[in-house]
Amino acid sequence: MPKTLADLRSRRWFTAGGMRAFSHRQRMQQQGVRREDVMQRPCIAIVNTWSELSPCHAHLRERAESVKRGVLLAGGWPFELPALSLGEVIVKPTTMLYRNLLAMEVEELLRSHPVDGAVLLAGCDKTTPGTVMGAISMGLPTIFCAAGPMLNDRYLKPGQAERKVGAGTHTRLFWDEYQAGKVSDAEWVQLEAHMTRSPGTCNTMGTASTMTAIVEALGLALPGSTAVPAMDAAHTRMATTCGERIVQMVWDDLTPQSILTRGAFMNAVAVQMALGGSTNAAVHIIAMARRAGVQLTLDDLDAVGRAVPVLANLFPSGDRLMEDFHYAGGLPALMSRIEAQLSLGERNVNGKTLGGNLRGVRVLDDAVIRPLNNPVSANGALAVLRGNLAPDGAVMKASAASPKFFQHRGRAIVFDDPASMNKACADVTLDCDENTVLVLRNAGPVGAPGMPEWGGLPIPKKLLDAGVRDMVRLSDARMSGTHYGSCVLHISPEAAVGGPLALVRTGDWIELDVAARRLHLDVADDELVRRRAAWQPAPESVARGFVKLYRAHVTQAHEGCDFDFLQGTDTTPEPVIY
Ligand code: FES
């Protein structure tokens, strides 16, 4: 239903009679805003996750000005609202601990202020789902303006072919080579200065690029906007367009609820698979769907993963970077390749349907966005595994794993924490070989807490020296989307709440069968019953604060790790203005 000036939410603050509205307008005038600016225009929140400790968002302060220009051009009035900035590499112990805090903050920021619509400025891994989850729950018209990927980098070494270098993916790769003596001290120092060339999000198909693409596929971002490089002039123009567009969205009452259908979520899942996207998306997309009241499960992800091949030739599944993806046509081009798998009637924030937006779109570089008959991986991006070790599911990024491990049986070495794991893996006398299955537990949502990205367990030094670069690794943790390897992640329920992972012992045999989607602990049932009877949860180690709240209310990985009291579509009343 189109809105008129009289319908605007901000009018409750600014145009009612009495002392309160007087005070609100007075406080606007205090900072130089004219009374007609807030009384006669839609008020737009620019939720900005900029901070000086969030390098991927270093340019968002400037971009907020571009968004403001667009809002003003369209007849709105912008207000920039700073929100928690979660720089993935810097924030400890893990940004995932704070995703829900950001979601709560965004929801309450929007609720408590006189705004009619929102532009979300975000992009680093958790800031995208965090801001979007909050905006879904608040329900105001919202457009997502992605921070955009950083510039490409390349690595030149005398006598070797040039290598494209991607943030995250190559940090781990060069670290392994450095540990094995293949990269010198001087090169290691040089890499530190060169691998991340500009502000912007990681330039691989890591969690950041996966999540911004998913939000675009959901219809919450302008077509093609999320792959525009952060330092491209097109990014500034795109930000202005976001500002312009949100004002019309307010008049059209184009809310997240009117965009986020099950079809939209299934489109986003198809995109995740075609991109070879991050396993982290499995957690975030379920969390976002639950906020929107859409039923989406790991089984949906697995089914789409079997049907949609990986077409985007991007690290870590392929060998190109996000800048290349943008030049190849970005997400609309990729979606045009999998059009048969998509629900084309879904709406986008630009007011058109997906089908309308894809009309005439073509892939501009087949080497970056592969044709269906020449995929990067026909195995699918994501496999959901189940078995007596993961009754509620576990995930594996099949496209970034070694096919030789797709059917595997190995002896477990179990670690209860990352410190003992790192110590043991650095010990060249560790009793292991490349068939060993490394297990890390107590790294899930409750156990760690916050489900950090510890799931790319290190290869033991002894095996690195022997040239081993991959082996089967299991955990209830997540793994960075930029990383690769045969890692089974998000085992649910996690060990800390008594999941079967808690019962594994060093020396047990573990079986992995990706084709059969099976993860099995080969221990007799009566022995497992004995072990369960002896199992005790770790004593509560946190007495107060946000972490205590987090541990008490976070859901398991297969449920999206949202807080139980934030899921669903129940509405919160508008604030009383008295
Ligand atoms: Fe911010 Fe990778 S560290 S996107």
Side-chain angles (χ1 to χ4, degrees), residues 110-187:
L110 297 177
R111 180 170 294 117
S112 57
H113 285 97
V115 293
D116 305 298
V119 179
L120 308 176
L121 277 174
C124 193
D125 297 20
K126 309 308 177 296
T127 60
T128 298
T131 53
V132 169
M133 287 160 68
I136 292 172
S137 292
M138 182 52 200
L140 297 179
T142 298
I143 191 166
F144 184 81
C145 179
M150 67 178 78
L151 297 175
N152 281 1
D153 191 22
R154 57 193 193 143
Y155 179 60
L156 294 166
K157 194 167 178 175
Q160 288 186 11
E162 176 191 317
R163 290 160 81 177
K164 281 184 185 279
V165 174
T169 301
H170 284 84
T171 305
R172 167 65 67 169
L173 203 135
F174 284 130
W175 173 247
D176 286 348
E177 291 186 5
Y178 180 54
Q179 293 287 95
K182 302 267 190 298
V183 165
S184 69
D185 286 345
E187 286 169 323

Side-chain angles (χ1 to χ4, degrees), residues 54-57 86-90 123-125 150 167 200-203 207-209 482:
S54 188
C56 309
H57 296 181
L86 299 173
E88 184 63 27
V89 176
I90 304 291
C124 193
D125 297 20
M150 67 178 78
T201 48
C202 288
N203 50 11
T207 305
S209 300
T482 60

Side-chain angles (χ1 to χ4, degrees), residues 385-392 491-493 498-504 509-511 517-525 528 532:
L385 308 163
R386 291 182 195 273
N388 69 347
L389 201 43
D392 290 332
I491 290 179
S492 186
L501 195 63
L503 309 181
V504 186
W509 289 93
I510 290 176
E511 294 169 1
R517 300 296 198 257
R518 181 167 175 268
L519 183 64
H520 181 70
L521 176 62
D522 192 9
V523 173
D525 288 346
L528 289 178
R532 174 155 305 286

Side-chain angles (χ1 to χ4, degrees), residues 78-79 105 137 146 161 178 202 214 253 273 296 325 355 371 460 476 560:
F79 291 105
E105 185 192 13
S137 292
Y178 180 54
C202 288
I214 280 176
D253 200 23
M273 302 308 160
L296 190 77
F325 185 61
D476 45 12

Side-chain angles (χ1 to χ4, degrees), residues 37 98 133 208 231 359 367 436:
D37 293 334
Y98 300 111
M133 287 160 68
M231 294 294 102
R359 203 162 297 136
T436 300

